Amino acid sequence: MDPRLSPDHTILTPNSGMMDTFSDNHGQSDNAMDSEMYTDQPSAGTPSSLSNATMTADGGNTTSDNNGNSKRKRFVKLVEVDAPNNLDLDAYIANYKGHTKVNRLEFIADRCPSLQIDALKLAITELKNTSTLNISRYVSLVKKLNEAIKFGAPGSGNVSSDLLNVDKAWADSQLQKAKQQTDLLEGELKNYKRNSIKESIRMGNIELGNHYYACGDLTAAHRSYSRTRDYCTTSKHLIELCMNVIKVSVELGNFPHVLTYVVKAESTPEVPQDKELTKAKLKAASGLANMDLGKYSSAARDFLSIGEELVGHQYGDVISANDIAVYGGLCALASFNRAELKRLVIDNVGFRQYLELEPHIRDLLQGFYNSNYTVCLDIMDKWRNDYLLDLHLHSHIEALYTNIRKKALVQFTSPFLTVDLTKMAKSFSTTVPELEKELVSLIIGGQIEARIDSQQKILWAKQTNKRSAIFERSTTMGQEYENEAKGLVLRIQMINEGLIVKMRDSEKGPGDASEAYEQQQQSRSGRGGRDMAMFADTRSNVSNFLSTFSRDRHRG
């Protein structure tokens, strides 16, 4: 058992409420220093899926982090990953920057004991190298590192003392800098409002929002960015507003809000400068939001429509080019049919550049399309642990893998009238009883039309009588044709009997067909003056026509 597990199998972490102190190499507690210096300082916002204790939550509610940032919670079970099969932590994290880099490192540290020490070391180093103003998060990560060493996590002997102790002098300096910067920006914004200069007020709110974001106060940053809406005067200003709000909303886990601002940005008149790059970023944000909401088909289409603008990780503070390949490929496999997979993914020249960054996703797509399910399942199983350590993908792995497997089962059985369950179970790396359960659920759901012979272990496809089906279709078509023919005959006889009510001149449009027909009839029959008489005798004409039509029909 993992030494960090409590008797109820909850992972013990510094923020779990069980351990909120840490000791340096001399065993001295720094609680007093923490309470004096860092109690009121903002804490870095972590995504909705990131938790320091168990990954369980009540899906419709929200929670708050140390800074009061309100974040949506999900029903997500914490799955501890012993060791990823293919993850090179240094190469993986180099694709990101800013908050998302630290968020992902902390997420990996909470999920994977074998990488916990390395991830925390990289996160602390990143915060110090970027001169972060979010000191409370820095202190929190140092606490986590000390706790991991205390529990004997792998790699504990390779940690320098500089990372184990809070740099008090540097922390004091950053705290003072953050406070001074806050006072300065708030004062400047007040002066701008007093002078009622729109552009200055807009820029003041953006600068204050950037400062709050740097301090980790995501709620305040979101509020400052949103306040610029009333002061935007150009399309460029609106795009800047939307991109700022989208970035913060992604980190807060407020993905419905992300979709709202994506639509707002896409409906804004195009800005010539960096137009394609902006569109690509909006598609990436929309794809993340749709994937988080479980709309895998929409998410796949968003990721697949991203151009080559993000191949170089230009959106690294939200998503990397490798993520686009993985998210787009898995969502497409889980939601597209065979024709869509070929047309929108395999033959997509633009998306092919992203697949080159993740060759296993390309092989997975090709294997699935070519019905090589053994290779597909091997690839999925090999990369499962890596995906469980992904900040956005981990909570969707079960659903995506289940959908992909169901589609593979349906695709495997569709060409055959009978299928040997023993051979099929071997192809899908499972047992016959388990395969039967999967097939039963698909049959009940109407995805497979077949029956299972449990004695002979054979799947029998339901055969339809094609001869009867053709006769039924022919009969239906004949009835439809007869009804249409009767309607046409009725129309023709009504026209011949003159039972047409003329439109008023004010209601006639240019080239009115009924007017042209009346003129033609008048010229042919010479009865131009009988309109009034016709209207007077309409009732008798209709009666005579109906009786004549009925008599003729019975004779026929």
Side-chain angles (χ1 to χ4, degrees):
M1 179 180 293
D2 194 315
R4 299 178 301 144
L5 292 177
S6 65
D8 61 350
H9 300 284
T10 300
I11 290 183
L12 304 179
T13 62
N15 292 340
S16 63
M18 301 178 185
M19 303 176 183
D20 37 10
T21 63
F22 77 97
S23 302
D24 57 20
N25 291 341
H26 303 288
Q28 297 174 344
S29 174
D30 287 305
N31 275 353
M33 179 271 295
D34 293 342
S35 61
E36 292 175 4
M37 294 175 55
Y38 312 115
T39 300
D40 298 326
Q41 295 306 311
S43 172
T46 55
S48 61
S49 57
L50 186 57
S51 171
N52 293 327
T54 56
M55 296 292 294
T56 55
D58 50 354
N61 297 333
T62 58
T63 184
S64 298
D65 61 8
N66 295 337
N67 189 42
N69 296 321
S70 179
K71 300 177 181 179
R72 189 165 58 86
K73 299 167 68 177
R74 306 190 191 113
F75 288 106
V76 182
K77 183 180 179 181
L78 176 58
V79 179
E80 185 175 313
V81 179
D82 293 332
N85 298 319
N86 311 279
L87 182 62
D88 182 346
L89 187 59
D90 292 327
Y92 167 78
I93 209 63
N95 297 330
Y96 306 97
K97 59 184 178 181
H99 286 199
T100 191
K101 185 173 186 177
V102 180
N103 290 341
R104 287 178 178 268
L105 287 169
E106 188 174 7
F107 183 81
I108 292 172
D110 289 339
R111 286 275 184 132
C112 184
S114 62
L115 294 177
Q116 185 177 29
I117 297 295
D118 292 337
L120 291 174
K121 285 165 58 177
L122 289 173
I124 294 171
T125 303
E126 174 69 16
L127 290 177
K128 292 204 68 176
N129 289 343
T130 55
S131 300
T132 183
L133 299 178
N134 194 350
I135 301 303
S136 62
R137 187 169 207 189
Y138 165 69
V139 172
S140 173
L141 291 175
V142 173
K143 285 183 179 181
K144 282 190 176 185
L145 182 58
N146 279 270
E147 291 295 341
I149 292 175
K150 181 178 178 180
F151 284 119
S156 300
N158 299 324
V159 182
S160 64
S161 58
D162 294 340
L163 297 177
L164 293 174
N165 299 312
V166 173
D167 189 341
K168 298 180 181 180
W170 176 79
D172 281 331
S173 173
Q174 293 301 104
L175 284 175
Q176 187 66 23
K177 179 180 178 181
K179 186 177 184 305
Q180 292 176 354
Q181 189 73 3
T182 302
D183 295 339
L184 176 62
L185 292 174
E186 288 179 349
E188 289 180 348
L189 183 58
K190 288 181 181 178
N191 291 333
Y192 296 150
K193 289 181 177 179
R194 191 178 300 115
N195 296 330
S196 300
I197 304 176
K198 276 193 172 184
E199 180 60 17
S200 297
I201 296 173
R202 189 185 71 85
M203 291 302 300
N205 276 306
I206 290 177
E207 292 175 357
L208 188 59
N210 291 339
H211 174 68
Y212 284 139
Y213 182 78
C215 292
D217 192 347
L218 302 182
T219 304
H222 186 281
R223 184 169 57 249
S224 295
Y225 289 142
S226 298
R227 286 174 178 170
T228 64
R229 185 185 318 159
D230 298 332
Y231 305 100
C232 295
T233 56
T234 66
S235 298
K236 183 179 180 180
H237 294 167
L238 290 173
I239 294 293
E240 185 178 12
L241 159 67
C242 293
M243 297 305 296
N244 286 330
V245 173
I246 287 171
K247 179 177 67 174
V248 177
S249 297
V250 168
E251 197 163 339
L252 284 170
N254 190 355
F255 288 101
H257 208 55
V258 172
L259 289 177
T260 299
Y261 276 86
V262 167
V263 173
K264 187 187 295 290
E266 289 179 339
S267 62
T268 302
E270 297 179 353
V271 181
Q273 184 179 4
D274 295 333
K275 178 179 64 176
E276 296 302 324
L277 178 60
T278 300
K279 287 184 177 180
K281 289 182 176 181
L282 291 173
K283 286 296 182 183
S286 178
L288 276 178
N290 281 316
M291 186 178 73
D292 182 84
L293 298 173
K295 301 176 181 178
Y296 299 130
S297 179
S298 299
R301 294 177 187 277
D302 287 331
F303 289 125
L304 294 172
S305 62
I306 298 174
E308 61 183 7
E309 291 78 20
L310 300 185
V311 173
H313 309 296
Q314 284 86 347
Y315 206 22
D317 51 346
V318 174
I319 190 174
S320 70
N322 300 67
D323 292 336
I324 293 173
V326 174
Y327 299 168
L330 292 179
C331 289
L333 281 174
S335 58
F336 286 176
N337 58 37
R338 185 180 178 85
E340 290 175 327
L341 199 64
K342 173 67 173 175
R343 177 171 53 89
L344 299 177
V345 185
I346 296 176
D347 293 340
N348 189 333
V349 178
F351 191 67
R352 197 174 299 166
Q353 300 181 60
Y354 294 97
L355 291 178
E356 293 298 328
L357 302 174
E358 297 289 339
H360 68 281
I361 295 293
R362 180 192 59 205
D363 297 339
L364 177 60
L365 291 166
Q366 290 287 355
F368 190 90
Y369 182 76
N370 295 327
S371 301
N372 194 347
Y373 303 114
T374 303
V375 173
C376 293
L377 295 176
D378 288 343
I379 293 175
M380 291 167 59
D381 185 63
K382 181 180 178 181
W383 286 85
R384 185 187 189 92
N385 285 351
D386 297 67
Y387 296 152
L388 289 173
L389 296 178
D390 186 275
L391 185 61
H392 297 292
L393 188 61
H394 72 280
S395 59
H396 302 279
I397 282 298
E398 291 299 329
L400 289 171
Y401 272 36
T402 300
N403 289 346
I404 293 172
R405 187 176 178 86
K406 286 181 178 179
K407 287 172 64 67
L409 290 170
V410 174
Q411 190 168 297
F412 185 93
T413 59
S414 59
F416 305 107
L417 294 177
T418 60
V419 178
D420 188 335
L421 295 185
T422 303
K423 295 181 179 179
M424 185 176 180
K426 185 178 179 180
S427 298
F428 283 86
S429 303
T430 186
T431 62
V432 173
E434 291 297 325
L435 179 62
E436 285 187 11
K437 293 180 182 179
E438 293 183 83
L439 292 174
V440 166
S441 65
L442 292 174
I443 292 172
I444 293 175
Q447 294 174 272
I448 295 179
E449 294 185 359
R451 293 173 295 177
I452 298 176
D453 185 346
S454 298
Q455 185 68 24
Q456 301 295 329
K457 302 301 179 184
I458 293 177
L459 179 73
W460 295 85
K462 289 185 179 179
Q463 300 183 31
T464 58
N465 191 327
K466 296 184 178 180
R467 184 183 181 90
S468 299
I470 292 175
F471 274 116
E472 290 179 1
R473 288 177 55 193
S474 300
T475 302
T476 303
M477 293 176 62
Q479 291 175 348
E480 293 177 353
Y481 177 78
E482 182 180 359
N483 293 334
E484 292 179 0
K486 288 180 178 179
L488 291 173
V489 171
L490 176 61
R491 172 66 176 168
I492 292 171
Q493 291 194 12
M494 290 182 69
I495 292 175
N496 291 335
E497 293 297 328
L499 301 178
I500 297 178
V501 179
K502 295 178 61 177
M503 298 173 60
R504 297 178 182 177
D505 293 339
S506 59
E507 297 177 353
K508 294 179 181 179
D512 188 86
S514 62
E515 180 181 2
Y517 177 77
E518 288 298 327
Q519 291 177 356
Q520 182 181 8
Q521 289 293 96
Q522 290 175 6
S523 62
R524 291 176 59 185
S525 61
R527 295 179 298 177
R530 65 176 270 189
D531 289 347
M532 295 301 297
M534 182 190 70
F535 284 115
D537 298 334
T538 297
R539 185 183 299 273
S540 61
N541 288 344
V542 170
S543 178
N544 294 334
F545 161 72
L546 291 176
S547 61
T548 302
F549 178 74
S550 178
R551 184 174 59 255
D552 293 343
R553 185 179 61 178
H554 287 300
R555 287 178 180 175

